[in-house]
Amino acid sequence: MAERGRVYKTEAVILRRRNLGEADSIFTVFSAREGKFDAIARGVRKARSRMGGHLEPLTRTRVMLAQGRSLDVFTQAETVEPYRTLREDLDRAAAGLYCADLLDAFTAEHEELPELYRLLVEILQSLDAGLGLHVVRYFELQLLALAGYEVQADACAVCGARLPAEDTLYAPASGGLVCRDCRAGAGTGRILGVTAIKVFRFARTATVGEFAALRIDPALAHALEGALGETIRYVLEKDPRSKRFVAEVAALPPLRTSEAGRNVLPAEPGD
Amino acid sequence: MPEGHAGPPEPITRLIDEFNKLPGIGPKSAQRLAYYILRVPEHDARALADAILAVKARIILCSRCLNITESEPCGYCSDPRRDQSVICVVEQALDVLAVERASGFRGLYHVLHGVLNPMDGVGPEDIYVRELVTRLNDGTVTELIMATNPSLEGEATSMYIQRLVGPLGVKVTRLARGLPSGADLEYTDDVTLARAFEGRQEL
């Protein structure tokens, strides 16, 4: 953790909020320098609060904090990136919340993780910019790698032998793909096709933009989501709580284009 | 605890424990309240106890709008002068009071009793969403006004309901977003200010 004065400034992404008393909230934020921590914002739920809109979950904000006895207290907040699309598109909001939830589950408080911060910002930017929702898989893969659970996709995770280009067992308990000889005792898993394996390998060196440009059909998306979901469940020993919401949103009827933005958002003046 | 150094008498401890369960009341405040009750006249203490019991005994949720009420259906749902074709959807029963006080709205309400909060595991089945969809089935309602809070969770809830009822052909609107009176442009967040611009009106 970086050395902090009594009052300090940092840039952070707001992960979650819970209400406290009549008008206060406690926010869990993730910052490049301070890592993940909780801090309290006084009076933030009043309509005229100067910080209110700047501390919404999934916004990137410059904050100033004063050290408190137990929790630090926000004294100023100014939005850097509001990621507005996440506020106006339910699928993207669900994806963003899932990523924030996952990061929360994988991190301890006050751990300095600048690479993870960059990754989170990149993903929120990508979701905000309308890139394919499969960038969430990129986030999962990179997060697992940064947390020390890199998915082994090049060689057999058990014996290290080279893998032939064929359908291969993916076993979370073994840490990735497992060759035919090692299948017994590798733990349960699912068979992944060659394309899914290529996606895993590609993600390791690709930028988020390159990964977003991949064309991923629904069957492949399902396989990737399943495999990574099983890995995350294996590591955390539970599913992230927001995962159910992502599934519930995916099951909703799609918004008809004539409805999108029309009923809910006022038309642009001059439209 | 050593012999001879007992805490307060048992009824006081019990009262402290009960106060301590209330939101925003810590152990010190609970102690102070309990010792205050000890000193108030008996009829005041009885009035407080009776008021608490009456709330639990007489207040129910209206089977249609799920607002808190003493009669079934509630005063809003049973008032024939109110517009039966518009439902204003709010997060909490307290929000009904705020809308009634300020807006001149004369339609019906639906109280969700919460908001979707994926990270805390609050999903659609934990709030009264299904009951809302059921109310739309007979075709009387033509507009839903989403009056959830303009927070990420409130907006996600509105969008969820919009998607859910989409196939029913009901118009879904939401309250305008913009600057509260007394606000300071300098401190207004980007999303609110952008929406305030989009919703600008001719003077």
Side-chain angles (χ1 to χ4, degrees):
Chain A
M1 182 174 82
E3 209 37 58
R4 298 175 301 168
R6 284 180 56 79
V7 174
Y8 61 102
K9 294 177 201 171
T10 190
E11 190 198 283
V13 171
I14 314 297
L15 299 181
R16 64 199 305 162
R17 144 180 55 213
R18 54 186 191 279
N19 291 339
L20 179 75
E22 229 166 73
D24 305 343
S25 294
I26 295 174
F27 292 90
T28 303
V29 306
F30 183 62
S31 106
R33 274 186 304 165
E34 321 286 337
K36 181 180 83 175
F37 63 95
D38 284 356
I40 186 166
R42 304 248 180 239
V44 74
R45 279 150 61 207
K46 293 180 188 160
R48 285 176 56 186
S49 160
R50 289 176 164 184
M51 290 190 283
H54 298 280
L55 293 173
E56 278 297 303
L58 304 185
T59 52
R60 183 176 166 198
T61 302
R62 243 190 313 271
V63 290
M64 193 150 102
L65 295 114
Q67 273 192 330
R69 259 180 308 173
S70 54
L71 290 181
D72 293 354
V73 180
F74 291 102
T75 57
Q76 283 181 34
E78 190 184 22
T79 307
V80 178
E81 283 281 354
Y83 302 125
R84 186 173 167 182
T85 315
L86 305 187
R87 305 274 298 270
E88 292 166 358
D89 179 322
L90 187 58
D91 296 288
R92 289 175 188 279
L97 284 168
Y98 171 75
C99 291
D101 195 16
L102 206 54
L103 185 142
D104 190 18
F106 269 88
T107 49
E109 288 206 343
H110 295 298
E111 229 182 309
E112 190 178 341
L113 296 161
E115 282 175 312
L116 187 52
Y117 185 76
R118 264 199 304 278
L119 176 65
L120 178 64
V121 166
E122 272 179 7
I123 282 303
L124 294 177
Q125 264 164 1
S126 308
L127 290 171
D128 186 53
L131 301 188
L133 286 173
H134 63 269
V135 294
V136 174
R137 305 287 89 79
Y138 181 84
F139 180 78
E140 290 172 331
L141 277 163
Q142 303 289 348
L143 175 70
L144 283 166
L146 287 171
Y149 301 97
E150 186 168 10
V151 170
Q152 182 56 257
D154 281 324
C156 170
V158 177
C159 70
R162 267 195 62 197
L163 295 166
E166 62 179 17
D167 288 0
T168 307
L169 176 73
Y170 177 86
S174 298
L177 297 169
V178 175
C179 73
R180 281 176 184 281
D181 297 340
C182 298
R183 273 192 192 182
T188 53
R190 60 165 65 214
I191 302 294
L192 284 183
V194 179
T195 328
I197 295 167
K198 278 185 182 164
V199 172
F200 280 169
R201 289 178 187 159
F202 180 71
R204 210 174 30 205
T205 52
T207 65
V208 64
E210 288 163 351
F211 190 86
L214 289 179
R215 291 245 298 276
I216 293 191
D217 64 46
L220 179 57
H222 189 255
L224 295 171
E225 185 176 353
L228 287 170
E230 285 151 19
T231 307
I232 287 160
R233 191 183 310 135
Y234 176 77
V235 174
L236 297 176
E237 295 178 347
K238 62 177 182 195
D239 278 327
R241 280 203 272 202
S242 55
K243 191 181 160 108
R244 203 184 59 180
F245 185 66
V246 174
E248 280 162 347
V249 169
L252 285 173
L255 206 57
R256 289 196 295 263
T257 40
S258 64
E259 284 170 354
R262 174 145 312 170
N263 281 336
V264 166
L265 280 176
E268 282 284 344
D271 261 6
Chain B
M1 195 174 288
E3 291 260 20
H5 184 277
E10 190 271 342
I12 288 275
T13 320
R14 222 172 82 204
L15 188 55
I16 293 172
D17 289 346
E18 291 307 319
F19 277 131
N20 203 8
K21 291 178 190 165
L22 298 177
I25 305 284
K28 285 286 174 203
S29 306
Q31 243 172 45
R32 224 157 20 89
L33 287 170
Y35 277 85
Y36 172 78
I37 294 290
L38 204 56
R39 290 199 313 268
V40 303
E42 180 167 351
H43 69 269
D44 283 359
R46 203 168 282 284
L48 175 63
D50 285 348
I52 292 173
L53 291 176
V55 159
K56 294 314 287 179
R58 306 222 310 258
I59 299 297
I60 52 169
L61 293 187
C62 171
S63 66
R64 296 186 199 171
C65 71
L66 300 148
N67 193 8
I68 54 168
T69 176
E70 235 185 314
S71 57
E72 165 63 24
C74 74
Y76 301 119
C77 289
S78 56
D79 183 348
R81 289 164 303 174
R82 298 190 78 101
D83 184 348
Q84 310 286 313
S85 69
V86 189
I87 292 180
C88 175
V89 181
V90 296
E91 291 180 17
Q92 304 293 349
L94 276 170
D95 299 335
V96 171
L97 299 183
V99 174
E100 275 297 304
R101 198 174 57 227
S103 69
F105 174 70
R106 298 291 295 160
L108 303 178
Y109 289 97
H110 188 87
V111 184
L112 295 171
H113 291 275
V115 71
L116 297 180
N117 195 339
M119 290 179 74
D120 288 336
V122 182
E125 63 290 347
D126 302 311
I127 59 175
Y128 291 97
V129 169
R130 203 181 322 133
E131 290 76 0
L132 174 62
V133 178
T134 312
R135 291 179 74 185
L136 306 179
N137 281 338
D138 69 359
T140 313
V141 176
T142 55
E143 182 180 356
L144 281 187
I145 302 174
M146 301 305 306
T148 55
N149 288 332
S151 62
L152 182 75
E153 299 86 343
E155 309 217 26
T157 307
S158 284
M159 291 189 286
Y160 182 89
I161 290 172
Q162 182 198 16
R163 285 267 290 273
L164 197 64
V165 307
L168 300 175
V170 176
K171 182 161 97 173
V172 184
T173 59
R174 76 169 181 206
L175 299 187
R177 272 83 171 105
L179 304 168
S181 34
D184 220 325
L185 277 196
E186 183 190 351
Y187 292 104
T188 304
D189 69 279
D190 306 24
V191 174
T192 304
L193 199 52
R195 285 173 176 168
F197 260 88
E198 287 161 10
R200 69 186 184 276
Q201 286 167 357
E202 206 173 318
L203 283 173

